Amino acid sequence: MPRQPLSVPTRRPAAVALVLAALTSAVSGQPSHADGLATPETRSLTVSEAELVLRRDWLFQAQGEPLGPRTAQELQWARELAARLGRRQPAPDLAAELRELDALEERLGQLRDAPASATVPAAADAAPNWIWYPEGNATQDVPAEPRFFRRRFELPAEVRAAELRVAADDACEVFLNGQSVGAHQTWQRTAVFAVEALLKAGENVLAVQAENRPAPSKNPAGLIVRLAVTLADGRQRVVVSDGAWRAAKELQPQWDQPAFADNGWTPAAIAAPFGGGPWGKIAGLGADVQSDPVAAYAGESSAVREIYFSVRQIKRRILFKNPVLDFTQVLFIDQPLPQGPINPEHEAIHRMGITAVPGGRLLVLDGLHPGGRARQLAPDQPGSFWRPDLSFDGRRVLFCFKPHDEPSFHLYEMNLDGTGLRQLTASEYDDVDPIYLPDGHILFTTTRGNSYVRCGPFIYSYILARCDADGGNVYLISYNGEPDFVPALLNDGRVIYSRWEYTDKPLWRLQKLWTTNQDGTGTAHFWGNQSVWPDHLSEPRPIPGSRRVMFSGVGHHDWWSGSIGIVDPDQGRDWPHGLTKVTADLRWPEVSLPPEDRPESADYHAAGRFTGYKTAYPLSEQDFLVSARGLDSRFRLYLMDVEGNRDLIYEGVHNVWHALPVKPRPAPPRQPDRVVWPGTGRDRRPVEPGVFFSADVCQGVHDLPRDLVRYLRVFQLDYKTYSTWNKSYRHSGPAVSIIQEEGVKRILSEVPVQADGSVHFQAPAGRALFFQLLDADRRCVHTMRSFTGLMPGEQRGCVGCHEGHSTAPPRHSGLALQQPPAELSPPPWGDESISFERFAQPVLNRYCVGCHQGQEPGPAEPNLALRSGHNVFKEPYLTLVGPAGWGNPVGGGRPGYGIAGAIPVESQYGQNDPSALMTLRPLQDLSFRSRLVALAAGGEHYGVRADPLSLHRLIAWVDACCPFLGEEELRALGDPDFPGIEQLPIRPRVATAPIIERP
């Protein structure tokens, strides 16, 4: 029966209570998504069932267009596909298919004058009703018991095709001419059965046992049926549930057999027409091609419909004769969508264990067809999956799995035949998306860094990690504080993945492609780090024999509405260079329409109103496997090409994702391991530093006066291992800055730059670092708005100061390179974290507050005395930051407003403004242009000239982009505490937040 949604009151802050509810049920062994707890049965479809699935999908792909013209288009596309495949070597033999297409085209021409409309409704007498045994009011409340229904009907000729659609509130079992058809367990959608084999000319009997199950309150009941029959001569007959049915209250022997005498049964009562009563318009009986393409095309000429099906069948044969299909099995997951109270579609939330819904399966399909033999590899208890991998020899499967009664995902391995299952990792943190490396190691993403997304205090960051083949010696090889997503191996052996970052940049659009070596060295930008379009280049996969990469362009807040694209790094590193869109029927989600949106193929055609494309696996430059969201808003697996031709391989119970061919594949090159690994556990040793070098830090920056540059500053952006678990200001918890969702910053070193622009210096490994070029007064003249880092013992160079990250410089003669690398040269205060009250306010107190403390009459002078402000931020911090503050509660027009000179990271740009992501030009921001620094240093403002150390600290605060809090202030806040905190898998902390060593 229809159920009302539960409403759960809360006494906690919304974010805390909602997320905690999901977590509490997960860690207590009581899943919050109980409806999906059971693992679906794995069964292979019969031939007729598979044909019905294909036909339904073909009608969906017709998009509601009249079938006559659509069939003509499909004929043309099939010939073009055959011509493309005919140019391959070796070319498949398609002569028979082309002859059949010619014959079908001739038949279609003969029918061209026949009416062909996709919107012709079924006859009025074909509308089904909800029926029940006549007792009480079936739309309100009747006994929770089974009832029995029969319908006799005559067919004047043999049957070509027949489709039965049935649903009952709450369940039913169906029989036709004494033979069991099947059972169905929900009223919300009809079951669909192909039943032509059970029908005959003459009398037939349809019998249904419908059961109304117990409910805690009112308990309506009903049965709805529609049987559509196409006779051998093309005529149609329809049988629907109506008052002509007979009903009985009690089970009687042989009641489902044709010979049973039902003349003593009671006529069924009509409870409500279709669309009425408490059930509404359930799925499966409407005439909308998006929800029920078969019903939508029920009024189409049967002759045209059969020609359309024949053309699609031949086109399918052509498509699957493609020589790239040198495999007959695919591995994939069938998994429910994640669920949760706070945006489970978010790029950084959907993979968290707390949003996982049990009911997933890891499957192998033998036969690239909906009727192929499906074999379940896992699980043996309800749970959830993400992306699996196959060993290079095609014999072993590596996967991640979250048992329903545990809080997190772990890594597992098993043989392809289902034997040899072993668990590789186990912790309270999530380990997901593993891949095999050529040297035998495993690379995956994990939350073991204990870091939280800066704009989401209840969102864990997944970062790249590496372990041994047995799951031991886990190392964190990423220096990202935000998430890394879904890594894959490129053809040259590098690892490609998408990473989210926002170092002094807006947080919205920087989810672009990066690469790293198999040991974590050489991390480099691959494509898009200064691009708005697409928003997030997710799930990258290399195209065989190419440097191009296929991906799904998804949204920051919408992981599922993806559109498939390709990037070619040889054509450029940012939009629009090297970018093409494959699925041109879908725009890039969540971003504005780009000024240029070049398709991969000018001949692309849409086939079905799909709303998302995901987890593409390229087979060639033109062909790929892809999961597409269409009917029922479920993802199904298709074989597709860049022209838009596609045909169904498999539909699961939930969503089919991450399909890959089951076959041996060449291993990419094994890269040398250059890392001085520090050991794990009791064998852990101090982490060795690495070395950065550049022959000329000014190279490529034409508008930077070379003679200004005297130092290179090394900033560290701390990992956010602290969390309040609740958004205490805007998106932060706790807040560090009014300018953006910031992390703690500290200066590790200020390295002298040689006269020729060269530098050569040590830096700690496993840290997120960014650089600034300084003048003689240590003011920033140019800043980097990305981050880099080193692995232990890594020696890494860069070309100039332009955030390219992608060009390794030659180690030729530079003055700095002729000497050993310089050790860290920190500022006088060491590596103390930077905050307003420790770095800026003491300078104001000493040199400014004596005159500027708000006592002067009128608004002519700023008040620089420390005092309360708004929310967590004090004054004069908000005034000094001014318009750079994101939603600054202190308005403009007051003295001193914005004189700090911070970068307006979020406040000056729209979310789709490309200029927000570009490299800032030199000498335009921070301390070099800061009015506050100029007043403190110049001696012209009433003779004020700050001492060198005070000025250095003030400059450091400005060049850190004016944070309000540092580590010391954060830890003074104490640890969060609220009811239920002990039930979280990882307890959030602030005062005692851990420092997690990387690697």
Side-chain angles (χ1 to χ4, degrees), residues 943-998:
V944 171
R945 188 186 300 274
D947 65 273
L949 179 57
S950 295
L951 184 61
H952 197 174
R953 290 176 71 90
L954 182 64
I955 289 172
W957 174 72
V958 171
D959 288 345
C961 207
C962 303
F964 184 65
L965 300 183
E967 181 184 12
E968 290 80 351
E969 290 82 7
L970 287 170
R971 292 196 181 274
L973 295 175
D975 285 331
D977 192 18
F978 47 82
I981 191 173
E982 69 283 348
Q983 297 174 354
L984 299 176
I986 306 298
R987 186 184 180 104
R989 295 182 282 169
V990 177
T992 60
I995 297 176
I996 305 295
E997 284 195 307
R998 304 187 192 184

Side-chain angles (χ1 to χ4, degrees), residues 342-390:
I342 301 179
N343 195 9
E345 300 85 14
H346 190 284
E347 62 182 3
I349 296 176
H350 74 277
R351 261 171 163 74
M352 293 169 59
I354 61 175
T355 65
V357 175
R361 296 177 296 165
L362 178 65
L363 299 175
V364 172
L365 179 69
D366 190 356
L368 306 182
H369 191 281
R373 186 173 70 89
R375 179 165 57 89
Q376 180 176 313
L377 294 179
D380 56 7
Q381 61 172 313
S384 308
F385 297 86
W386 286 118
R387 197 271 311 275
D389 195 25
L390 192 66

Side-chain angles (χ1 to χ4, degrees), residues 376-716:
Q376 180 176 313
L377 294 179
D380 56 7
Q381 61 172 313
S384 308
F385 297 86
W386 286 118
R387 197 271 311 275
D389 195 25
L390 192 66
S391 62
F392 299 110
D393 62 6
R395 296 180 179 179
R396 289 169 292 131
V397 179
L398 180 65
F399 63 97
C400 58
F401 175 66
K402 178 194 173 295
H404 73 94
D405 55 356
E406 295 188 28
S408 55
F409 284 89
H410 315 305
L411 302 188
Y412 298 78
E413 187 183 44
M414 70 190 315
N415 296 323
L416 185 64
D417 64 5
T419 64
L421 175 65
R422 60 173 181 160
Q423 183 172 340
L424 303 179
T425 65
S427 79
E428 295 172 323
Y429 295 100
D430 286 322
D431 299 331
V432 298
D433 299 326
I435 59 172
Y436 288 104
L437 294 179
D439 66 357
H441 286 97
I442 293 169
L443 189 138
F444 58 103
T445 60
T446 182
T447 59
R448 293 171 186 245
N450 201 91
S451 55
Y452 298 82
V453 171
R454 281 181 277 156
C455 62
F458 48 82
I459 305 174
Y460 301 112
S461 286
Y462 292 81
I463 59 172
L464 295 178
R466 193 188 85 158
C467 68
D468 295 343
D470 62 1
N473 290 318
V474 174
Y475 287 105
L476 307 178
I477 64 170
S478 170
Y479 28 82
N480 197 0
E482 270 49 61
D484 302 321
F485 302 90
V486 197
L489 280 170
L490 290 177
N491 298 325
D492 63 8
R494 288 178 297 163
V495 176
I496 189 168
Y497 60 102
S498 53
R499 96 177 185 188
W500 184 16
E501 63 158 296
Y502 44 100
T503 305
D504 292 342
K505 286 186 178 181
L507 63 86
W508 309 101
R509 298 291 167 251
L510 282 186
Q511 298 90 197
K512 301 305 193 283
L513 293 179
W514 290 74
T515 61
T516 192
N517 292 327
Q518 296 163 20
D519 60 359
T521 62
T523 300
H525 167 239
F526 186 82
W527 195 93
N529 216 45
Q530 296 188 352
S531 305
V532 167
W533 306 281
D535 188 3
H536 184 155
L537 289 80
S538 72
E539 301 154 351
R541 288 275 192 183
I543 293 174
S546 171
R547 282 174 48 82
R548 303 205 306 160
V549 170
M550 185 173 281
F551 66 91
S552 175
V554 301
H556 182 100
H557 299 92
D558 185 358
W559 185 256
W560 306 114
S561 299
S563 190
I564 303 301
I566 295 174
V567 291
D568 184 351
D570 295 335
Q571 301 300 314
R573 298 283 179 169
D574 279 291
W575 180 91
H577 306 294
L579 172 67
T580 55
K581 182 186 285 182
V582 175
T583 50
D585 49 320
L586 280 191
R587 59 180 291 177
W588 304 122
E590 203 168 320
V591 288
S592 60
L593 289 173
E596 180 181 339
D597 202 12
R598 187 160 58 95
E600 172 67 14
S601 171
D603 297 325
Y604 181 87
H605 62 269
R609 296 190 180 102
F610 290 92
T611 59
Y613 295 94
K614 293 290 292 174
T615 66
Y617 190 99
L619 304 172
S620 72
E621 291 277 7
Q622 293 85 27
D623 310 287
F624 56 100
L625 305 176
V626 69
S627 296
R629 184 173 60 189
L631 279 167
D632 320 321
S633 293
R634 283 190 292 153
F635 283 90
R636 293 166 172 81
L637 178 61
Y638 291 84
L639 174 64
M640 187 171 172
D641 69 15
V642 296
E643 274 75 46
N645 299 300
R646 69 201 71 191
D647 226 301
L648 182 66
I649 293 178
Y650 189 76
E651 67 172 23
V653 175
H654 301 297
N655 300 280
V656 176
W657 291 313
H658 297 292
L660 63 160
V662 174
K663 64 174 183 176
R665 57 194 165 108
R670 174 175 176 170
Q671 296 175 329
D673 193 331
R674 302 181 178 91
V675 175
V676 182
W677 298 103
T680 60
R682 290 178 295 180
D683 298 328
R684 184 79 174 181
R685 301 178 299 277
V687 178
E688 294 282 337
V691 171
F692 279 110
F693 63 90
S694 177
D696 184 1
V697 296
C698 297
Q699 182 177 340
V701 191
H702 63 87
D703 49 352
L704 175 61
R706 177 178 293 274
D707 58 355
L708 276 181
V709 178
R710 300 296 180 84
Y711 299 94
L712 182 144
R713 178 184 285 148
V714 182
F715 258 115
Q716 175 177 309

